[in-house]
Amino acid sequence: MNTSVARPRKVAIIGASGTYGKGILARAEDVGVETVVITRSPQKFQDVKPTTAVVHAQLYEEEKLTEAIRGCDGVISALGDHRMERPKTHNLPYVWSAMKGAGVTRYIGMASGAMMMPGEKRGALQRTVHPMLSVLKLFGVDYLEQNEWERDSLLNGKNGADGIVWVITRVIRPTGTPFVGAYVHKDKRGPINCSIYDHGDFCLYCVASGEWDFLAPHVSSGR
């Protein structure tokens, strides 16, 4: 699949200082997409290109988010899934509400490669990992809770996600290798490694294209 066909004009990114967020921002700047980085740590973005605006805001400051997002083609979230800090459950309802207030409905999120979608058959990774995760869950340790909360909110239109057009990208092992062209799979898993730039390129494509709407594809690096 050639993800260079469609590009958005302008996107907002949250979580841009993390591993995958850096890849998304780098690809946006590489291809000239106007970008709004929403962050509580603007000092981390001293060397951005002129096409990038940095907005200092907490994600619960809904009015600031609404103004920052206004005019964007979509919002890309690279929020992590820290099970103690719970960044998605604490912040995404405000993000989705701000999006709708700004007239922006396209949302691209990301989840662990171990997360399952309804009716999906387990691949080798899931068959290996899920028994261990199930045991840990018995002891109150749920490593997929944040991913599944985001998934269920979007699937069921809950927690402010009603009316949102979404794609959840699933990746397994991030690498800093150069962009090589992403492989994207609906029902199969590709190589477990994924360049952060491949992933960023695919996220930008999903903002501009409806090809993967309401799906959670696996994204892996080309060979």
Side-chain angles (χ1 to χ4, degrees):
M1 173 179 173
N2 182 0
T3 59
S4 64
V5 173
R7 299 289 187 200
R9 181 187 59 84
K10 183 177 182 180
V11 298
I13 304 174
I14 58 177
S17 63
T19 299
Y20 280 107
K22 290 177 181 176
I24 298 165
L25 177 57
R27 286 301 295 165
E29 291 190 331
D30 284 347
V31 298
V33 173
E34 190 177 349
T35 305
V36 178
V37 170
I38 301 171
T39 177
R40 62 184 179 182
S41 304
Q43 70 276 7
K44 294 181 179 180
F45 300 94
Q46 299 294 321
D47 300 319
V48 296
K49 292 187 177 181
T51 50
T52 299
V54 178
V55 176
H56 184 193
Q58 300 284 349
L59 292 181
Y60 57 76
E61 296 180 295
E62 194 172 316
E63 289 186 8
K64 284 188 178 181
L65 261 63
T66 300
E67 290 307 309
I69 294 168
R70 196 179 305 278
C72 291
D73 298 316
V75 174
I76 303 175
S77 169
L79 288 178
D81 54 4
H82 194 289
R83 65 184 182 86
M84 301 300 291
E85 296 180 0
R86 306 183 78 216
K88 296 186 178 185
T89 53
H90 288 165
N91 296 303
L92 286 179
Y94 297 106
V95 173
W96 292 329
S97 180
M99 287 174 60
K100 288 182 283 187
V104 177
T105 58
R106 185 167 293 275
Y107 170 82
I108 314 301
M110 58 177 293
S112 164
M115 188 196 76
M116 302 290 294
M117 294 296 286
E120 184 178 28
K121 294 181 180 179
R122 291 183 179 182
L125 171 72
Q126 289 81 5
R127 289 195 299 269
T128 301
V129 171
H130 275 259
M132 178 182 65
L133 295 178
S134 297
V135 171
L136 290 173
K137 196 171 182 178
L138 293 174
F139 293 91
V141 180
D142 189 350
Y143 281 105
L144 290 180
E145 186 269 344
Q146 288 291 281
N147 293 292
E148 292 176 344
W149 180 92
E150 180 182 25
R151 175 201 65 192
D152 293 344
S153 295
L154 292 165
L155 280 171
N156 299 312
K158 295 181 178 179
N159 302 309
D162 54 299
I164 296 296
V165 179
W166 55 271
V167 179
I168 302 177
T169 64
R170 284 187 283 179
V171 290
I172 302 175
R173 187 176 67 191
T175 71
T177 55
F179 172 73
V180 292
Y183 282 75
V184 188
H185 315 264
K186 285 184 181 178
D187 303 313
K188 297 180 180 179
R189 284 74 173 166
I192 65 172
N193 63 301
C194 180
S195 163
I196 59 174
Y197 309 109
D198 285 315
H199 177 254
D201 202 64
F202 181 67
C203 287
L204 293 172
Y205 175 79
C206 286
V207 174
S209 167
E211 180 176 356
W212 295 89
D213 287 355
F214 307 112
L215 295 172
H218 293 266
V219 187
S220 62
S221 296
R223 298 190 178 103

